[in-house]
Amino acid sequence: VLLQHADIAMYVAKRSHAGIALYDRADDHHSTERLQLLADLRTAIDEDQLVLHYQPKLDLRTGAVKGFEALVRWEHPTRGLLPPVDFVPMAERTGLIHPLTDVVLRSALKQVRTWCDGGNPMAVAVNVSTRSLLNLDFPDRVLALLTEYDVAPGLLGLEITETTIMEDPQRALTVLTRLYEAGVRLSIDDFGTGYSSLAYLKRLPVHELKVDRSFVANMMSNDRDRVIVNSTVALGQSLGLDVVAEGVEDEATRLALETLGCDLAQGFLFSRPVVAPLSGAWSTVPV
């Protein structure tokens, strides 16, 4: 019992970002549920309960599908299908993020291999956590999996947030440079919500900026958001980067993005994240 109480206090301390926390019975029920979920997650990683859903990225000029973002889900045996927000932050705090990331990368590359074998190679992008990005061994693990599944590096994309990069800019730059030089496509996700300076941005070896959905969703009704989207598109173009707009949900927004010169878009207007489509099934999506 004492050990269980210590575990609960430790979890509360991590959750509140405090260095220490005393056991409080009021935390017991909620934290015990989370500890059970943590134990279940260890089992899920070992027993293939994690699945990927895919959302297409479309070329705004042609309507062609240029690739997919892979989004992890957990098929929990009693709680049903859980979104990443229910378990990825917990994995990040406890160190389970490393085996979880390996599972996601492995599943994504296995799917790419299936598409390649079907004669219609498609790129896939995977979100990368802070712990993974700041692990100097991470590029070796990525390259080993690319070799194992015989997938060209250019068919794998890794999406990293500005906040993740700024945790340790120099270490992040080291890891990103190795991946970039190996041919892996790199993207700054949720651009505009972090704290990176333009001076630092120009040093980053990346291929793509993704405009955060919070700006895209309101750009037709909020002048400030529209200016931010416009400025991000112009910035990406001036740096020679592709720009992807996330969260496109209506035709008016799509047309406005196309007029601004945005390269790619993803969102519910085109498709929700779904199980892997058959090879060639989504070469284009009507727009």
Side-chain angles (χ1 to χ4, degrees):
V1 173
L2 288 176
L3 287 175
Q4 183 185 39
H5 290 176
D7 284 343
I8 292 170
M10 179 181 69
Y11 189 91
V12 172
K14 288 182 176 180
R15 187 181 63 198
S16 63
H17 305 290
I20 189 170
L22 297 176
Y23 170 73
D24 184 339
R25 186 177 295 274
D27 293 320
D28 202 340
H29 176 69
H30 194 50
S31 295
T32 299
E33 285 186 350
R34 285 199 167 122
L35 286 171
Q36 182 58 57
L37 194 64
L38 177 61
D40 291 347
L41 181 57
R42 296 178 191 273
T43 301
I45 291 171
D46 293 335
E47 297 185 358
D48 295 328
Q49 294 175 13
L50 300 176
V51 297
L52 297 186
H53 287 188
Y54 298 84
Q55 188 172 43
K57 298 180 184 181
L58 273 73
D59 185 317
L60 281 172
R61 290 175 293 273
T62 67
V65 175
K66 305 300 288 186
F68 296 88
E69 180 179 357
L71 300 162
V72 65
R73 305 287 189 263
W74 178 5
E75 292 183 329
H76 193 283
T78 59
R79 299 174 186 239
L81 193 66
L82 299 181
V85 69
D86 285 355
F87 60 93
V88 171
M90 176 175 60
E92 176 81 12
R93 285 190 294 266
T94 60
L96 282 178
I97 194 66
H98 296 311
L100 189 153
T101 299
D102 285 346
V103 167
V104 172
L105 283 169
R106 187 176 292 276
S107 297
L109 292 175
K110 183 178 180 180
Q111 182 58 56
V112 173
R113 180 72 261 152
T114 299
W115 285 329
C116 289
D117 290 343
N120 189 40
M122 282 284 181
V124 67
V126 172
N127 292 281
V128 177
S129 72
T130 302
R131 286 200 179 194
S132 293
L133 181 65
L134 300 183
N135 183 345
L136 295 177
D137 294 332
F138 181 61
D140 293 328
R141 298 191 351 246
V142 171
L143 297 179
L145 288 170
L146 286 167
T147 299
E148 179 179 344
Y149 287 96
D150 191 23
V151 170
L155 291 178
L156 174 64
L158 299 178
E159 299 190 359
I160 306 105
T161 65
E162 291 176 88
T163 303
T164 294
I165 294 168
M166 297 313 293
E167 284 278 333
D168 187 336
Q170 190 55 52
R171 182 179 286 251
L173 183 60
T174 298
V175 172
L176 291 175
T177 298
R178 284 197 59 203
L179 291 165
Y180 184 92
E181 291 176 347
V184 176
R185 285 189 59 82
L186 302 174
S187 174
I188 300 181
D189 198 11
D190 301 338
F191 186 77
T193 61
Y195 307 100
S196 62
S197 68
L198 295 182
Y200 190 75
L201 175 63
K202 72 179 183 179
R203 297 175 53 207
L204 290 175
V206 297
H207 303 87
E208 182 180 274
L209 297 181
K210 296 191 75 175
V211 189
D212 187 68
R213 67 183 64 249
S214 63
F215 304 123
V216 175
N218 298 315
M219 64 178 288
M220 301 306 296
S221 58
N222 187 301
D223 289 340
R224 290 177 180 268
D225 285 342
R226 186 180 180 90
V227 168
I228 290 172
V229 174
N230 193 2
S231 299
T232 302
V233 172
L235 175 64
Q237 290 174 337
S238 67
L239 293 174
L241 306 176
D242 290 334
V243 180
V244 183
E246 296 184 286
V248 180
E249 298 189 1
D250 57 72
E251 180 65 13
T253 302
R254 185 196 72 79
L255 287 171
L257 289 165
E258 183 179 359
T259 300
L260 290 175
C262 187
D263 301 293
L264 304 166
Q266 65 184 96
F268 291 171
L269 174 65
F270 313 115
S271 173
R272 292 178 178 271
V274 296
V275 296
L278 297 175
S279 175
W282 278 2
S283 58
T284 60
V285 173
V287 294

